Amino acid sequence: MAAPLTLLLIVAVTIRAALYRSSLADLISERVEVVSPLTAWKRVVEGLALLDLGVSPYSGDVFHETPLIIYFFHFLVDYAEITFMLADVITAVALYMTVKDYNKQVFRKQKYALEADRYPLDCLELIRSPKEMYYIPLKVAMFYLLNPFTILSCVAKSTCGLNNAVIALFILSTIKGNVLLSAVFLSLATYQSIYPLTLCAAALLYLMQRQYIPVNYRRASFWWFIAQYAFMYLGSLFVIVCLSFFLLGSWDYLPSVYGFILSVPDLTPNIGLFWYFFAEMFEHFRLFFLCVFQINVFFYTIPLSIKLKEHPVFLIFMQLAVISIFKSYPTVGDIALYLAFLPVWSHLHRFLRNIFLVSCVLLACSALFPVLWHLWIYAGSANSNFYYAITLLFNVAQILLVSDYFYAFLRREHHLTYGLYLKRKDGSEATLVLK
Amino acid sequence: MAITMPLSSIIHKQPQKQRDKWPSNDFQEELVIRPLHSGDIYASFQFRTLWETDFMRGNKVSHYRLFPKSLGQVISKFSVRELHISFTQGYWRTMQWGQPFLPSPPGAELWVWFQDSVTDVDGTWKELTNVLSGIFCASLNFIDSTNTVQPSASFKPLGIGNVTDHSFLRYATLPREIVCTENLTPWKKLLPCGSKAGLAVLLKSEKLFHSSFHSQAVHIRPVCQDWQCKTTSWELRQTLNVVFDLHTPGQGKREWSLFKMFSRTLTEACPLASSSKIYIDITDNPQGEQFEVSPATPLLSQAMVLGDRRTFSVYDLTQQITFGTVRSLNLLIRWKSSEDMLRPLLHGERYVAGYGLQTGEIHTLMYNNHPYRSFPVLLLDSVPWYLRLYIHTLTVASKGKDNKPSYIHYQPSKDRVRPHLLEMLVQLPPNSVTEVTVQFERALLKWTEYTPDPNHGFYVGSSVISSLVPSIVAMDTNSTREQPLFSSFFPCKEESSYFVRVYTEPLLVNLPTPDFSMPYNVICLTCTVVAVGYGSLYNLLTRSFQIDEPSPGLAKRIANIIRKMRGVPPL
């Protein structure tokens, strides 16, 4: 499998290098769907230029990256293109290894369950075979590297690529069972943008299952493990935060980065729901709705973890999707990360209900975004409502996609427990509904 | 009494074919250009059509050639004997400009003499004003009995006729009427050649209305055809008087040309015109010592204008030689005396470049007009926070080469707290233009932060350029000596330079606007999308899959309830 992966990496790097050399690179780096005030490369260059001028980058409102990015790019600003291509490659390879390991575990679990006769007899066709699961890791890497969203994000040199790489490394270290690395990468991901904090529940559940610690809040081992993980996480976060302090000698970056993410002062249009909502918000209710929208991102963690405590990897997928849809400054790079996981659930295709509609809407909206932006900003013949409408539609399509996969996953689990061909009391074929 | 016109009492130096009788349908056009003492220039167009016909005899005239049909029908339908209508924008300044050829009051003026066969003059007057407002696209329908008078002595008929019954005269003015391109276009359509050939090609509205005075008029009257006045013909005069204020001192040499006045040159005369001439008043320039006219012409003519004998250079457009080898005539009047103003040594300009509402560039130009000395200037730019400057895109270039400023102080803006502050010390090389460019991004503001007229744009304050400019003459640094007050405006610490501050233009920048009518709709729609997400996830999280048992019919359900009460097992 190494050879196809290498070939894929070469193709991906070639495409990105070709686009870097073309005139499209400047065009793409200005698009609001691909870069946001948090991730734009122009702002990173601006922050470094301010630092050269002797002014703190956080004294103004243009630069909202963390100090580690300043450290990082202070030396690498001339090799930026290679850095971002390397970040994409790291993400793809990490996802590849993650899915390979996960498939092994899925297959092993399935084998034990089959031997223990836990599956009803008629759902044997739902059992997965190694043959069908053989190409899934390659497909995952392909879905990530050759996704137009990822390519656009890389060519625009959006730091979202770096964030994705850190999250992918976190997922890899979690799947491999390395508690320390998982905590370190999670703290790094949280430090970059606050929202990956919600992934800690999934990591904890997975690591506890792997170490055969029962997930029961009455047991001492449960709390002990949580304490260990929290200590490692908080420790690495503390170290990173102190390092950031020592870069510029001030805590200015805290309101500039985290205050910015949470309080959404910049209303630059993007593909998310926040910008127009807060552009048209009555001042009196601004704080209230800000809290509502931010809590909305974190709020699904506990219910989802309770429902999916046996399936932490699907929980990671759901959490990533919820973050990408409801975060304050989403870009297409965030979407590409959870879309890369879709081949892992390809066996659910027989239970998916809306997939055709969703894919059509996503394609149409992706095509309409630049058109309506041009009509609003350059031609002056449309107004902001047109772009906003496409934003709404895009997000509804994403929500439908995620909930559709969730439905399909839960239904398959139900069938694996109760049998595939269910009959009603009178013997006729049954329909399953959610009640 | 007839006003003496240059056309009707000309003494040509060249022989001309004499006719005993005027032709039956004749069109003549002329343009008189007269430089005025105040520095303005006066151009007077006249287009005259003579037609030997009788509108009044009852046989309907149907074959129109040079005379416009709309006016011919007006004359015959309303039994008009004389019609004078004028549209004027601006006020004729008699003290500075002298007397006009044809005076007219500001606004619209209409006075009409009707034939004695008209029984209801007021009704005919009302209909006539409505028809004329349609022909000339003007609001002449506002003329009614409240602003119409019958003057008893002031307005005698200008054409032939000896009727003195003033009940057939009506006079009205609309001082509020504005003249614009919509009035010029139908006026031009009445000309035989339209605005396609002859002098009428010069009548372009973007230049004509950019003037101090503009007046267009139509005069219709019956005239004698010969000295004995045995037959009469109708005369239609269309006149257009315009005064341009083209004299901008200090812009180098003072000169006028047809192209500068009308943004067109002449290429041919109107083929339907029997005479097409341009007259330039050179009475104040007998030996050519004040100004020179080019191309030179040997034709001269003299005429009595308003009690004064004036000399004119004549250009005959019906002769091909007038147009020369380039086949176009651009008359040029160039003044001889050159007054070279002392140009300012330091000068600044600023503008916004770029298109669209996302990004833009601010360009500041600084001119150093000293021939050999360079001096440093301090540029201060204060840009509001909603134009996000990117200081890494700052470039300073003089004469095409990079010119690095020796001191830069930049304070970035904070959203809704403070603006950008950029201060630079730039050395301006002698006799050069230095261009400072910086890119910016336009922010979307909250809907309450926009001004009441958001599409007017947002203002950016002027840049301030402060400098010590080298002086040509040595100055006295002793400021305690007795001096006039105004010399203390220019403080000088050294003998050879003085302090000067130059302000550039402010900028007007458009920002993208949200739809201001949408707050409630946006809140509803966005919350709907969030609720769609919440609802689907809530359903999947709190409900489980169950087999759908069809619920029993109503009768069975009631029976089950009764059975449950009785303690009997249900159906």
Side-chain angles (χ1 to χ4, degrees):
Chain A
M1 282 295 276
L5 181 65
T6 321
L7 184 64
L8 175 67
L9 292 176
I10 292 172
V11 168
V13 167
T14 313
I15 296 177
R16 285 161 171 77
L19 280 173
Y20 272 128
R21 292 284 158 263
S22 75
S23 62
L24 287 173
D26 282 327
L27 211 74
I28 294 172
S29 55
E30 299 247 309
R31 297 241 39 109
V32 287
E33 298 92 7
V34 184
V35 297
S36 70
L38 277 175
T39 58
W41 176 247
K42 202 171 177 189
R43 295 188 181 228
V44 173
V45 176
E46 177 72 8
L48 293 172
L50 283 174
L51 206 58
D52 284 338
L53 270 180
V55 179
S56 161
Y58 300 108
S59 58
D61 249 334
V62 169
F63 185 73
H64 299 288
E65 302 275 1
T66 55
L68 277 191
I69 295 281
I70 302 184
Y71 266 136
F72 191 60
F73 280 111
H74 192 63
F75 306 108
L76 288 177
V77 68
D78 296 321
Y79 306 106
E81 296 170 2
I82 298 179
T83 312
F84 285 103
M85 285 198 277
L86 202 62
D88 269 2
V89 162
I90 289 176
T91 314
V93 170
L95 288 177
Y96 177 88
M97 288 163 54
T98 305
V99 176
K100 210 160 159 190
D101 212 301
Y102 174 64
N103 279 348
K104 280 198 199 125
Q105 289 173 20
V106 161
F107 192 64
R108 200 175 351 124
K109 251 197 207 168
Q110 201 173 255
K111 203 167 74 163
Y112 291 154
L114 272 175
E115 284 168 6
D117 255 344
R118 265 201 266 143
Y119 294 139
L121 285 168
D122 57 355
C123 64
L124 285 172
E125 56 193 77
L126 291 178
I127 305 294
R128 306 172 70 187
S129 64
K131 196 162 151 231
E132 79 180 57
M133 296 190 343
Y134 184 68
Y135 281 111
I136 289 181
L138 188 64
K139 278 192 206 163
V140 167
M142 197 164 64
F143 258 55
Y144 185 74
L145 281 175
L146 300 181
N147 191 348
F149 290 158
T150 327
I151 297 178
L152 285 175
S153 194
C154 181
V155 174
K157 292 192 273 218
S158 161
T159 55
C160 185
L162 299 176
N163 295 349
N164 285 355
V166 172
I167 296 177
L169 287 171
F170 155 72
I171 299 176
L172 175 66
S173 48
T174 309
I175 297 286
K176 291 284 187 193
N178 192 334
V179 182
L180 177 65
L181 272 185
S182 164
V184 166
F185 279 122
L186 183 65
S187 67
L188 203 58
T190 314
Y191 166 78
Q192 279 288 106
S193 61
I194 309 175
Y195 300 107
L197 180 60
T198 57
L199 295 171
C200 72
L204 281 169
L205 282 171
Y206 185 87
L207 289 167
M208 280 200 269
Q209 280 180 5
R210 201 186 158 92
Q211 298 192 353
Y212 303 109
I213 300 171
V215 180
N216 190 348
Y217 58 86
R218 278 186 268 254
R219 297 288 195 94
S221 51
F222 174 78
W223 293 110
W224 177 236
F225 185 78
I226 291 185
Q228 276 181 313
Y229 194 85
F231 177 72
M232 285 189 269
Y233 170 79
L234 289 171
S236 36
L237 193 62
F238 178 72
V239 166
I240 298 172
V241 163
C242 286
L243 267 178
S244 316
F245 172 75
F246 287 124
L247 170 71
L248 288 171
S250 75
W251 297 108
D252 274 347
Y253 73 95
L254 286 175
S256 234
V257 181
Y258 305 113
F260 183 79
I261 296 176
L262 290 174
S263 68
V264 192
D266 186 334
L267 299 171
T268 311
N270 50 57
I271 57 173
L273 298 164
F274 277 63
W275 64 280
Y276 206 50
F277 190 72
F278 288 104
E280 302 268 16
M281 174 55 58
F282 299 103
E283 276 308 307
H284 185 69
F285 294 107
R286 188 156 204 278
L287 185 60
F288 170 70
F289 277 104
L290 197 62
C291 295
V292 166
F293 271 53
Q294 296 288 5
I295 288 173
N296 187 45
V297 185
F298 294 96
F299 160 78
Y300 294 105
T301 314
I302 300 200
L304 276 175
S305 340
I306 294 175
K307 185 84 179 184
L308 292 170
K309 63 177 180 249
E310 308 293 329
H311 314 283
V313 178
F314 192 78
L315 177 62
I316 291 181
F317 167 71
M318 288 292 299
Q319 288 286 23
L320 281 176
V322 162
I323 294 172
S324 306
I325 299 171
F326 293 116
K327 71 191 285 196
S328 45
Y329 292 99
T331 60
V332 292
D334 300 308
I335 296 173
L337 185 62
Y338 80 81
L339 282 181
F341 276 96
L342 291 184
V344 184
W345 326 115
S346 54
H347 59 280
L348 299 171
H349 70 274
R350 61 186 294 170
F351 301 116
L352 292 171
R353 293 178 298 173
N354 299 328
I355 209 65
F356 176 67
L357 176 73
V358 164
S359 45
C360 285
V361 173
L362 283 176
L363 277 173
C365 289
S366 311
L368 279 174
F369 269 123
V371 170
L372 291 171
W373 178 257
H374 178 87
L375 282 182
W376 172 26
I377 297 290
Y378 294 102
S381 52
N383 64 9
S384 49
N385 292 335
F386 292 72
Y387 193 77
Y388 167 66
I390 298 300
T391 307
L392 286 181
L393 209 56
F394 192 69
N395 284 310
V396 164
Q398 283 185 75
I399 291 171
L400 274 181
L401 174 75
V402 166
S403 59
D404 209 18
Y405 267 91
F406 195 22
Y407 171 85
F409 190 84
L410 290 176
R411 181 138 170 203
R412 181 174 174 269
E413 294 303 311
H414 185 266
H415 282 305
L416 283 177
T417 324
Y418 294 104
L420 186 55
Y421 297 105
L422 299 164
K423 304 250 187 305
R424 280 201 217 127
K425 289 203 193 110
D426 51 6
S428 61
E429 195 172 324
T431 44
L432 271 184
V433 290
L434 280 171
K435 278 221 183 99
Chain B
M1 51 200 167
I3 299 173
T4 318
M5 291 279 176
L7 191 60
S8 44
S9 55
I10 251 164
I11 307 163
H12 287 268
K13 289 233 166 115
Q14 272 199 337
Q16 193 213 8
K17 275 190 267 184
Q18 291 295 327
R19 290 173 198 243
D20 286 319
K21 224 168 117 68
W22 294 99
S24 67
N25 210 343
D26 182 48
F27 174 68
Q28 291 172 319
E29 56 178 18
E30 77 170 16
L31 163 64
V32 180
I33 297 180
R34 184 158 145 200
L36 300 170
H37 277 290
S38 63
D40 308 294
I41 192 156
Y42 175 34
S44 171
F45 291 83
Q46 193 183 156
F47 304 92
R48 187 176 92 157
T49 310
L50 275 178
W51 197 18
E52 183 191 350
T53 181
D54 195 353
F55 287 112
M56 298 301 130
R57 208 176 289 165
N59 49 332
K60 290 178 76 165
V61 183
S62 52
H63 180 61
Y64 289 87
R65 195 169 149 256
L66 297 176
F67 201 95
K69 184 171 176 179
S70 49
L71 289 181
Q73 286 178 329
V74 161
I75 298 172
S76 55
K77 183 166 178 209
F78 298 109
S79 308
V80 165
R81 205 172 83 206
E82 262 186 45
L83 183 129
H84 302 271
I85 185 167
S86 74
F87 298 95
T88 310
Q89 181 81 14
Y91 179 68
W92 181 269
R93 298 182 190 282
T94 318
M95 290 304 284
Q96 282 116 346
W97 299 339
Q99 283 283 0
F101 287 144
L102 221 90
S104 50
E109 184 202 44
L110 170 68
W111 57 281
V112 175
W113 272 97
F114 290 96
Q115 301 278 357
D116 18 355
S117 55
V118 174
T119 44
D120 177 17
V121 185
D122 286 318
T124 320
W125 170 250
K126 188 90 187 114
E127 285 177 32
L128 176 66
T129 52
N130 277 301
V131 166
L132 285 176
S133 82
I135 293 178
F136 291 106
C137 291
S139 324
L140 298 174
N141 51 320
F142 284 119
I143 293 179
D144 53 14
S145 59
T146 57
N147 47 23
T148 311
V149 291
Q150 295 178 31
S152 62
S154 309
F155 284 91
K156 300 280 189 216
L158 292 179
I160 53 171
N162 51 3
V163 177
T164 50
D165 187 355
H166 285 268
S167 64
F168 293 104
L169 168 66
R170 291 292 181 273
Y171 175 86
T173 54
L174 287 175
R176 218 181 141 183
E177 187 68 16
I178 300 177
V179 188
C180 58
T181 314
E182 275 177 6
N183 307 116
L184 182 66
T185 312
W187 188 92
K188 282 197 286 189
K189 272 204 204 153
L190 300 172
L191 298 170
C193 282
S195 54
K196 301 213 174 32
L199 290 172
V201 302
L202 295 176
L203 301 176
K204 292 292 162 195
S205 45
E206 65 260 10
K207 282 289 192 177
L208 275 184
F209 289 101
H210 197 64
S211 56
S212 311
F213 177 84
H214 169 96
S215 170
Q216 64 200 48
V218 172
H219 302 277
I220 305 177
R221 60 178 186 163
V223 291
C224 290
Q225 267 191 338
D226 50 11
W227 287 110
Q228 286 85 3
C229 210
K230 285 198 216 77
T231 40
T232 61
S233 52
W234 285 90
E235 179 194 72
L236 164 70
R237 272 190 217 265
Q238 283 179 262
T239 61
L240 193 138
N241 294 333
V242 60
V243 175
F244 290 107
D245 178 14
L246 293 178
H247 183 45
T248 41
Q251 278 277 358
K253 289 194 180 294
R254 181 175 156 196
E255 70 174 40
W256 294 320
S257 66
L258 276 186
F259 190 79
K260 202 167 165 197
M261 284 196 281
F262 302 108
S263 69
R264 293 284 185 284
T265 58
L266 292 166
T267 49
E268 55 168 348
C270 175
L272 301 167
S274 62
S275 131
S276 178
K277 290 197 169 65
I278 299 183
Y279 296 88
I280 301 194
D281 190 339
I282 53 170
T283 320
D284 300 323
N285 192 34
Q287 263 80 43
E289 72 276 354
Q290 261 203 27
F291 55 81
E292 64 164 321
V293 182
S294 82
T297 175
L299 296 173
L300 284 178
S301 81
Q302 290 194 337
M304 288 293 292
V305 177
L306 293 164
D308 189 17
R309 184 178 295 274
R310 313 225 31 117
T311 317
F312 298 89
S313 292
V314 184
Y315 294 84
D316 190 351
L317 297 180
T318 50
Q319 310 285 338
Q320 203 50 35
I321 198 167
T322 320
F323 296 104
T325 44
V326 295
R327 295 216 220 132
S328 96
L329 177 67
N330 184 20
L331 291 173
L332 202 65
I333 306 174
R334 201 181 292 115
W335 261 253
K336 294 273 177 75
S337 62
S338 62
E339 311 138 21
D340 251 331
M341 205 183 74
L342 189 65
R343 301 188 99 218
L345 291 178
L346 177 62
H347 171 55
E349 279 174 5
R350 194 160 75 142
Y351 60 91
V352 172
Y355 64 96
L357 294 174
Q358 193 179 359
T359 52
E361 261 184 29
I362 299 181
H363 291 244
T364 311
L365 297 165
M366 294 185 282
Y367 295 86
N368 177 0
N369 291 322
H370 202 286
Y372 52 84
R373 290 276 294 276
S374 76
F375 50 86
V377 297
L378 263 175
L379 173 66
L380 170 73
D381 246 325
S382 168
V383 178
W385 66 266
Y386 39 81
L387 302 181
R388 302 204 167 98
L389 290 184
Y390 285 96
I391 208 70
H392 72 272
T393 57
L394 176 71
T395 58
V396 184
S398 310
K399 291 186 184 169
K401 286 189 299 194
D402 218 16
N403 180 0
K404 213 165 140 39
S406 46
Y407 166 74
I408 298 185
H409 169 63
Y410 177 63
Q411 192 189 47
S413 70
K414 261 205 134 23
D415 275 9
R416 301 179 181 93
V417 170
R418 59 166 198 253
H420 297 275
L421 173 71
L422 174 64
E423 258 186 299
M424 293 192 296
L425 183 69
V426 183
Q427 188 81 10
L428 301 184
N431 209 17
S432 68
V433 182
T434 306
E435 184 165 3
V436 178
T437 51
V438 66
Q439 285 180 11
F440 65 87
E441 204 178 70
R442 302 176 205 223
L444 186 73
L445 306 176
K446 297 182 198 169
W447 69 304
T448 46
E449 290 172 345
Y450 286 89
T451 53
D453 183 10
N455 287 309
H456 179 70
F458 287 77
Y459 283 97
V460 179
S462 312
S463 304
V464 185
I465 304 172
S466 325
S467 160
L468 278 174
V469 176
S471 157
I472 297 179
V473 290
M475 294 175 297
D476 189 9
T477 53
N478 185 358
S479 59
T480 55
R481 275 227 313 220
E482 181 86 19
Q483 278 171 10
L485 274 179
F486 64 79
S487 58
S488 60
F489 278 147
F490 322 108
C492 53
K493 290 277 152 70
E494 308 155 29
E495 281 185 23
S496 57
S497 59
Y498 58 94
F499 177 75
V500 82
R501 193 168 268 156
V502 174
Y503 290 94
T504 62
E505 299 95 326
L507 301 174
L508 191 58
V509 176
N510 261 335
L511 291 182
T513 55
D515 189 347
F516 298 101
S517 60
M518 291 277 285
Y520 179 71
N521 302 351
V522 167
I523 296 175
C524 282
L525 289 169
T526 310
C527 290
T528 305
V529 171
V530 174
V532 162
Y534 175 82
S536 23
L537 285 179
Y538 174 84
N539 267 344
L540 290 164
L541 286 169
T542 53
R543 297 182 189 202
S544 56
F545 286 99
Q546 290 173 23
I547 295 180
D548 182 28
E549 298 287 345
S551 58
L554 185 61
K556 263 202 180 156
R557 266 190 278 154
I558 297 176
N560 278 339
I561 294 170
I562 300 173
R563 281 186 157 218
K564 204 160 61 174
M565 287 196 301
R566 281 170 56 194
V568 172
L571 290 166

